[in-house]
Structure formats: C-alpha cells, structure tokens
C-alpha cells in the first residue's frame, strides 16, 4: 500500500532483484554457460577457442554470476603480455608488439 501511495500518479516502477520478493515477477532472467561462452566470443574472439573448455567450470565456480566470470577473466588477462592475448592488453585496445 505504501508503495502504491508513494508512486502516486507516476507511470510505474521497475524493481530488479536477484530473488523473488513481494512484488510480482514480470521477467525471470537466467544465465547459462552457453551465454557466458557467447559473451566471451564477442569480447575476445581470438581467445574463445582455448577458453571454451574452462568456461563451464568458471560459470559453476561463480554460481552462474556472469559478471564475476568476466571479472575473473579480466583479472587473468590484464597482466598478460600482448602476444599472449590476441594482440590486446588489459584495456582491450590493440597494442604494438615490441621486439
């Protein structure tokens, strides 16, 4: 009731939660290791082939939290030499390889 009263004449209210709450659920989104692989393929197309085997374990370790999976991958790649990560270094920008 308080929510309806405070919303007043405004058009609506959208609340996002990680778990079901008192309000009705309009959309229930789920993650999957396939979704993680698809995102990694878009972000790092040169590296997805050698990462593909470990993505399901990474997904499981982070309990389906794709943000944490990507953060783990970022942490790993941030300190690699450019030659080891498809010509990019940490920030995703192309860098020249030094001889």
């Amino acid at each position: 009731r308080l929510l309806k009263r405070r919303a007043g004449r405004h058009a609506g209210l959208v609340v996002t939660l990680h778990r079901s709450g008192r309000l009705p659920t309009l959309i229930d989104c789920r993650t999957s290791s396939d979704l993680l692989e698809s995102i990694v393929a878009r972000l790092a197309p040169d590296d997805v082939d050698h990462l593909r085997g470990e993505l399901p374990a990474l997904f499981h370790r982070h309990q389906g939290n794709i943000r944490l999976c990507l953060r783990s991958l970022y942490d790993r790649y941030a300190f690699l030499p450019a030659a080891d990560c498809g010509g990019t270094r940490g920030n995703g920008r192309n860098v020249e390889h030094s001889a």
Side-chain angles (χ1 to χ4, degrees):
R1 285 182 257 159
L2 176 63
L3 180 61
K4 285 183 181 181
R5 188 175 58 218
R6 293 240 171 129
R9 61 186 156 106
H10 300 286
L13 173 71
V14 175
V15 177
T16 61
L17 300 170
H18 290 277
R19 293 181 177 79
S20 296
R22 293 182 185 183
L23 299 173
T25 300
L26 300 176
I27 298 174
D28 187 20
C29 300
R30 303 271 179 200
T31 61
S32 68
S33 59
D34 289 337
L35 176 61
L36 175 61
E37 183 179 324
S38 173
I39 293 169
V40 169
R42 291 188 69 193
L43 294 173
D46 296 338
D47 300 313
V48 72
D49 286 337
H50 80 268
L51 289 172
R52 188 170 280 123
E54 68 181 89
L55 292 177
L58 183 66
F59 181 81
H60 180 73
R61 183 168 58 247
H62 291 295
Q63 300 174 336
N65 187 325
I66 289 190
R67 183 183 62 82
L68 292 178
C69 294
L70 294 174
R71 184 175 178 184
S72 290
L73 291 171
Y74 175 83
D75 288 346
R76 181 190 318 169
Y77 276 77
F79 299 105
L80 287 178
D84 292 340
C85 54
T88 61
R89 201 180 302 206
N91 62 10
R93 296 185 192 144
N94 284 335
V95 294
E96 293 188 26
H97 301 282
S98 56

